[in-house]
Amino acid sequence: MATQYAISGTTAKGIAASVEQGVADGVLGPGFTLPPVRRLADDLGVSPGTVATAYKELRRRGIVVTRGRAGTVVAARPAVASRRPPKVPAGLRDLAGGHPAPELLPHLVPPTRLSPGARSHRSTPRVAHLEEAVRDWLAPDGVPTGHVTFAHGALDLIGRLLSVELRPGDAVAMEDPGYHHVLDLVTALGLRTVPVAVDDAGLRPDALRVALRAGVRAVVCSPRAQNPYGGFFTAERRDALVEVLREAPEVLVVENDHASAVAGVPLHTLTSGGPARWVHVRTVSKFLGTDLRWAAAACDGTTLARHDGRLLLTSGWVSHLLQETVYALLADGSTRALTTRARDVYALRRTALMNELSARGIEARGVSGMNLWVPVRDESAVVNGLRTHGWWVAAGARFRIASTPGVRISVADLEPADAARLASDFAAVLGEAEATYGG
């Protein structure tokens, strides 16, 4: 029980470490109220200033938040504590993970020509032919390709850029609902999230304008297959967002095109509108394999220098073995054909479930990508109700900042033949909830 955890320490550093340990162990859960400064100071025999300094450090690192008279509480997404998804119970159909269908992924074959010996790749971190292949991949979609770099996945790149560009306490505009790992990453870096509402066309311009006027230093968004809502930028929405962004040219725009080849819709990129500071990042895990932790990014010159400068000081480069593997797959005709098939299959499965839900009067959002977002009144009731029918879906709380409740259903592995059964079970669960809660 959280109330039985005794915070210890005689210095600000020790007190902060004690609270952090309690959060990491799960003993002090999200929303737990820490003791008032003076009470904890009396209990530990230290000055109130020592406790206040400890709480300030915990706030800076995103572990706790202060809510005025409600006191200091453990953050909803603390920067320590595991945020791994719940383990799928035995016997349930997993529609929560968001992973691609295994049969629609190519076989991974390591390159036959391996890197010779022990040597540094810092002088030439990117394989030249893969760099050119990336330019050929991005340019037709209107992404400027004058500066290109690689990273160990989108989260790796986003985390590196935000840590270089921003300082703890700075604000970042985030999609709401949005990708939970990015939300957690921003919190872990000690940054503040400012929610920006989304719809079927992605970020809403009015909400983005409010965030910019609140002083955000960066905007993180998805141009298509927005996770979990499924929206994508239309040409009109892209143009409207570019106009809003012109009001804050110093803001870094991070565009995460995570589904790219299998999103099922064209790309209308913000980067073609001429923002001063920008990066467009693409990964291949959704259509080449989840174990390929590689990302390509195009960006402005300043962003390139800052990203690569920090990369040089850490891992140095992305494995050339990994780069050669990605290149071989991107250049393979049969793999490209499989990717096209995957794109079409995901669109079919997404549309099939949307139609079945709609036929039963259930609203669902998801015009691109692999997920559907279904607004509900009580997330727990729906998740637990569907569990009794053999389905496992994701509660929306992991994806939300200030938006209303919902659940995310991953359709990548859901055959159209199963969509009708899931929709019927969903309707039954909603009917049970209405009977319980009075509508």
Side-chain angles (χ1 to χ4, degrees), residues 241-419:
L241 291 171
V242 167
E243 285 299 315
V244 173
L245 288 168
R246 284 183 180 142
E247 300 175 10
E250 74 286 354
V251 169
L252 175 65
V253 178
V254 180
E255 193 172 70
N256 181 14
D257 192 19
H258 65 96
S260 63
V262 293
V265 292
L267 175 70
H268 297 289
T269 174
L270 298 174
T271 67
S272 65
R277 299 298 315 286
W278 61 274
V279 60
H280 175 94
V281 56
R282 286 189 186 178
T283 53
V284 296
S285 58
K286 295 299 185 186
F287 60 94
L288 294 185
T290 55
D291 207 34
L292 290 178
R293 311 313 297 170
W294 174 85
C299 53
D300 66 89
T302 299
T303 300
L304 176 76
R306 292 178 178 178
H307 173 271
D308 286 7
R310 181 60 61 88
L311 180 66
L312 182 68
L313 295 172
T314 53
S315 60
W317 66 88
V318 176
S319 164
H320 280 204
L321 297 180
L322 177 57
Q323 292 188 48
E324 292 285 5
T325 301
V326 171
Y327 175 78
L329 290 169
L330 290 177
D332 179 62
S334 61
T335 298
R336 290 197 297 269
L338 181 61
T339 299
T340 299
R341 177 171 170 253
R343 177 198 67 196
D344 296 340
V345 168
Y346 294 146
L348 176 66
R349 293 175 179 177
R350 185 182 68 248
T351 303
L353 181 56
M354 284 191 71
N355 290 341
E356 292 291 350
L357 290 169
S358 178
R360 292 161 178 79
I362 301 172
E363 175 192 7
R365 320 307 305 185
V367 291
S368 65
M370 302 179 181
N371 303 301
L372 290 187
W373 178 260
V374 186
V376 297
R377 177 180 177 182
D378 188 315
E379 294 176 2
S380 296
V382 171
V383 170
N384 291 326
L386 288 175
R387 177 176 180 173
T388 66
H389 290 273
W391 306 103
W392 187 246
V393 302
R398 299 177 66 209
F399 307 90
R400 298 187 291 108
I401 305 173
S403 55
T404 55
V407 296
R408 189 191 74 171
I409 304 175
S410 297
V411 300
D413 215 19
L414 184 70
E415 296 284 354
D418 295 326

Side-chain angles (χ1 to χ4, degrees), residues 158 162 166 169-179 182-183 186 191-198 203-222 226 233 241 244-245 248 251-256 270 401:
I158 294 170
L162 293 181
L166 280 64
D170 286 346
V172 181
M174 307 289 294
E175 297 165 326
D176 186 22
Y179 184 38
V182 178
L183 293 173
V186 168
L191 305 172
R192 295 184 294 112
T193 58
V194 176
V196 179
V198 301
L203 290 174
R204 284 174 34 190
D206 58 333
L208 178 60
R209 179 174 283 109
V210 170
L212 293 176
R213 291 177 177 174
V216 300
R217 295 281 309 282
V219 177
V220 181
C221 61
S222 300
Q226 194 273 341
F233 293 163
L241 291 171
V244 173
L245 288 168
V251 169
L252 175 65
V253 178
V254 180
E255 193 172 70
N256 181 14
L270 298 174
I401 305 173

Side-chain angles (χ1 to χ4, degrees), residues 10-83:
T10 57
T11 65
K13 183 177 180 180
I15 295 168
S18 176
V19 173
E20 179 176 350
Q21 188 62 54
V23 175
D25 291 342
V27 182
L28 303 180
F32 175 77
T33 302
L34 299 185
V37 168
R38 290 190 178 277
R39 183 198 304 168
L40 183 58
D42 289 342
D43 292 343
L44 299 179
V46 300
S47 71
T50 298
V51 176
T53 300
Y55 282 12
K56 180 179 179 180
E57 173 64 15
L58 291 167
R59 284 195 300 272
R60 186 188 69 80
R61 296 181 47 225
I63 298 173
V64 303
V65 295
T66 298
R67 294 179 176 170
R69 293 183 178 179
T72 299
V73 303
V74 176
R77 294 181 174 86
V80 291
S82 172
R83 287 279 299 168

